[in-house]
Amino acid sequence: MSDIRLEYVTPESLIPYVKNPRKNDAAVEPVAKSIKEFGFKIPILVDEKHNKNEIIAGHTRLKAALLLGLERVPVIFTDDLTPEQIKALRLTDNKTGEYAEWDRDLLVGELSDLRDIGIDLDITGFSAHEVEGFLSESVDLDDFFYSEEESAEQVAQMQNGSANPEPGFNKSKVVCPSCGEEFFA
Amino acid sequence: MNLYLAGTSAFPKILKAYPHTIDFLLESFYYITPWQLEMLRNKKIKTLLLDSGAFTLLQTYSTYSEKYVDEFVQKYIDFINQNDIDLFFELDIDGICGLQKVESIRKRIDKETGKLCIPAWHKSRGLDKFLEIAKDYPYIGIGGIIARKEIKPKEHVHFHKLIEIAHKHGAKIHGLGFTPLKTLNQFNFDSVDSASWMQGAKSGRVFQFRGNSLIEVTKPEGRRRRHASILNSHNFHQWILFQRYLKGVNHV
């Protein structure tokens, strides 16, 4: 394994791979927010030997850099891969991440911690609706259902004809269009 | 994946009071209401996908009348033109008047609206017809998944190939009524629709969006449901959150 050569170059000097199979437009803005908040911490990987300055990994980061108008981006140049390996690495780099999953409890804990110390969760890349979904409490079934006791009482009232359901009870009040009599159906 | 919420026409209070924009709504021409069109004009509904509702209407008639179908088509075309609707399905009424008539109606709709409709392929039409619409149309659909049960759940696996064919020809593809919560992420439909949000109150199901999934909690035994509107409002919001989540997900 050869040593890594890291340099800062202008974004314009890098060449996107024309057959990059990732549709990354939706990811550009969140990545740009991240770079703006944390700096450009993960360099772009570039081919130095076969197709000079062509990107192997980091197309979204390049688009984000251009969006932010950055003058320089960190780049790792590699010269120890064959063209075939580079072609495969482009897929591997994107595909391997799909095998990882979120540990829900730990994620919720991390998001909660950040929220509690006042960090804008937008910079994590999670959207507002995702955050709402992760951080919302489990539903309180009492909001939607009567207790067993209340339910039993209502059923008993229905059975002995003394039912007086409160608004919203399962049974609706109906007025007979002919005789005007009210009943619950 | 764009998830279109369906079946909202009976819930004006919930939708009108909903404080956020609704990205995707499916409604049928047969059921659509003036207040939904008003919400579309006011951009409270961003994108409307229009279904004809013809099957629902026409199956109530015991005998087939070409005159009646043609009148319905004219009203459908006029509605699309008057309201400048961009996304609308063909009349997939094969079971009533046959595929030949359906195809002739499709051409008429395309011609008189100046836009291409979304053909809704049914299994009974055969694969050749699927290939045909995938080549000729930018957006196609697969019908018969839910209501008419032409396609059984065990056959859903074949959707992968159909989706692949559509995409190979540059066509987007919609799964009509296809929203199995556990397996939805496995399919690369460009869009789907669901009315499940409103069915929760009927069966006592409480939905909850959990950040990257939608789960449902069923009614506890021995407990009666409070007012349906409480559950409907809650479930609608949870499905909207799920809709927004799916919008940002590229499955393949």
Side-chain angles (χ1 to χ4, degrees), chain A residues 17-30:
Chain A
Y17 178 54
V18 290
K19 292 196 275 187
N20 177 32
R22 293 293 282 180
K23 299 177 192 171
N24 56 12
D25 286 347
V28 173
E29 198 178 320

Side-chain angles (χ1 to χ4, degrees), chain A:
Chain A
M1 185 177 289
S2 62
D3 289 342
I4 282 175
R5 180 164 75 84
L6 176 69
E7 274 185 29
Y8 279 82
V9 302
T10 60
E12 291 76 14
S13 67
L14 301 177
I15 303 165
Y17 178 54
V18 290
K19 292 196 275 187
N20 177 32
R22 293 293 282 180
K23 299 177 192 171
N24 56 12
D25 286 347
V28 173
E29 198 178 320
V31 170
K33 276 183 187 170
S34 161
I35 292 171
K36 200 171 173 184
E37 178 70 20
F38 307 114
F40 209 120
K41 301 298 184 196
I42 305 171
I44 295 170
L45 183 64
V46 162
D47 177 15
E48 188 174 24
K49 188 173 178 185
H50 311 285
N51 293 296
K52 198 167 173 59
N53 283 1
E54 190 175 65
I55 296 176
I56 299 171
H59 287 86
T60 311
R61 274 164 279 158
L62 175 65
K63 284 185 182 177
L66 291 167
L67 182 71
L68 292 170
L70 300 184
E71 292 177 2
R72 297 188 320 149
V73 291
V75 167
I76 291 175
F77 290 92
T78 181
D79 61 3
D80 63 345
L81 297 174
T82 66
E84 294 75 21
Q85 283 178 312
I86 289 172
K87 202 173 178 67
L89 178 55
R90 284 198 182 97
L91 301 185
T92 309
D93 179 61
N94 285 299
K95 182 63 188 171
T96 46
E98 293 178 11
Y99 295 109
E101 289 181 17
W102 291 105
D103 181 310
R104 183 181 177 80
D105 292 339
L106 293 175
L107 173 63
V108 168
E110 292 296 292
L111 287 171
S112 297
D113 289 348
L114 290 169
R115 181 192 57 185
D116 293 347
I117 55 177
I119 299 289
D120 178 4
L121 296 181
D122 201 31
I123 61 166
T124 62
F126 284 96
S127 61
H129 55 272
E130 285 175 307
V131 169
E132 181 178 341
F134 280 120
L135 295 185
S136 61
E137 302 289 331
S138 293
V139 288
D140 184 352
L141 292 179
D142 292 342
D143 290 343
F144 307 107
F145 303 103
Y146 291 105
S147 67
E148 282 186 37
E149 293 73 26
E150 287 171 316
S151 301
E153 192 181 327
Q154 286 168 349
V155 170
Q157 286 176 350
M158 294 295 291
Q159 285 169 345
N160 67 24
S162 64
N164 183 22
E166 66 175 66
F169 184 58
N170 272 353
K171 301 288 179 182
S172 307
K173 189 162 88 172
V174 177
V175 180
C176 171
S178 301
C179 66
E181 187 179 332
E182 294 179 356
F183 61 98
F184 293 90

